[in-house]
Amino acid sequence: MNRPLFAFLVVSLSGAGRERAYAQLSLHDALRQADRSAYANRMAAGTTAAQAAESLSPLKGILPSLRFEAGYVRTSDPIGVFGATLRQRTITQANFDPQRLNYPGAVGNYQGGIVVEQPIFNADAWTGRHAARRAADASRASEEWTRLSTRVNVVQAYYGAVLAAERATTLRSAARSAQAHLRQAESMVRQGMVTKSDALLASVRFGEIDAELAKADGGAETARRQLAVLLGGDGNALPPVAAVPAVLPSADRIRAVVAADTAGLPAEPRADVHAASRALDAARADVLRARSAYLPRINSFARYDWNSPNRIYSGDKNWTVGIMTSWSPFAGASELADMQVTAARAASARAQAEAAQANARLDVEQTRTVLVVALTRLSIAERAVAQSAEALRIVERKYAGGLASVVELLDAQAGETHSALGFAQARYDAIVAAAERRRALGGDPGSLEAVDESRPVAVSLPPNTTVSASPDTYSTERRNLS
């Protein structure tokens, strides 16, 4: 890697030995790292730079050019010898002798020149310059959209790694509880209070949770590697890498930050729509460039020349100035082909611009619906966690008193684990939906740094807006969307 992906490794010592501790990676740090090093961003930046450079090419037909020439020629050609001698200002009467004119001796000539060329009117260069500049604008807008999309991906990958870590933590806690239930069941079997089947069922359940835990640990490692690659790393090795938070932000924090996004907010100008619009402008300008190839071209030039038998840029100088007009009304149908190609590209660009606008409008409404649903599920999952925890507590007391079977206990524990995992998934889905919603509105998904509970949050709602963040208001919001 060209630069470190995350904060540098911090080493701490404990009484039992040395443990490596990593500085916690914040979403803010991850987004900054992606802005600098993400592969998609770097590729987009390279494309933009190349397009900007291409916009300089048409200047060849607009700006003046300066050229230096130098060379040496030795010839016995009669015309060449007489011309070189005349340019060197060494002609004498003897040079007009017919025998000498017909059979001259070889003459050497050092030639030097300075040439200035100034285009006066080249319509295709001017229209081509306009087309190239619009194409560069489109490329810059496309790069900006790529950066915003990368930020959405960073939010998704960052909190995906946090979700994987929380999932592993939840299953590890469930595995400890299942192991405790297994030991309790085995003890009660020895005491004759329950049958052996209870212990076997507890053992089976412990094995299932242990297998899920192994899968979750592997998923957490994969998620960290995916995040590292997204931020510009090679993904081959984890250390040294910063640690992501152990748990996702709380439901209250998420709602406080993103609830306002469920309102019917107006979309700001989007970079992808701007890119498509500029691409259409560039295609239309390119059509004009192709048509202007039928117009005459007018160019001027001025030059100084030196000719000497001894060295370059020596002897008397000659000057020449001139203006030239050229017109090619037909050049083997190449102009016709160019016009047809550019017209077809303009039609395609027009369709792409219209599609970008339509998709942007759809994206605004669709992401609003997705976020409303995600917040609704978050509220339901939050209640389910509290209810399943209370249900498990009741069943544990009944089981300890011999009023519930081990099957009921294991089912209650499975329900609590499932609810906890579902609650974590619901929080993750709400954050990702909010990131996509903010991109759809033309905003910066990086503003979701505010869900970090170490940061202050202040939420202000536009006037006359309706916030939907609970199941009670979802039906009304859904009718409004339709």
Side-chain angles (χ1 to χ4, degrees), residues 12 23 30 52 101 130 135 148 204 211 218 223 265 275 277 279 331 334 435 447 460 462 474:
S12 62
L101 286 173
H130 180 70
L148 290 177
V204 170
L265 302 175
S277 176
S334 60
S447 60
S460 59
Y474 174 59

Side-chain angles (χ1 to χ4, degrees), residues 17 21 39 129 136 157 166 179 230 261 315 319 371 388-390 394 403 405 453 459 462:
Y39 294 117
R129 169 66 171 167
E166 182 171 343
Q179 189 176 35
L230 181 60
D261 295 342
W319 61 266
L371 181 55
S388 61
E390 178 63 15
I394 294 172
L403 300 177
S405 66
E453 294 185 311
V459 178

Side-chain angles (χ1 to χ4, degrees), residues 174-175 177-187 189 195-211 399 406-407 409-410 413:
S177 298
Q179 189 176 35
H181 293 153
L182 174 59
R183 288 196 297 265
Q184 184 181 13
E186 290 174 343
S187 175
V189 168
T195 64
K196 187 176 181 180
S197 62
D198 290 336
L200 293 175
L201 287 172
S203 178
V204 170
R205 181 55 186 162
F206 173 70
E208 291 175 350
I209 295 177
D210 203 34
Y399 181 75
V406 71
V407 174
L409 177 62
L410 296 177
Q413 183 194 7

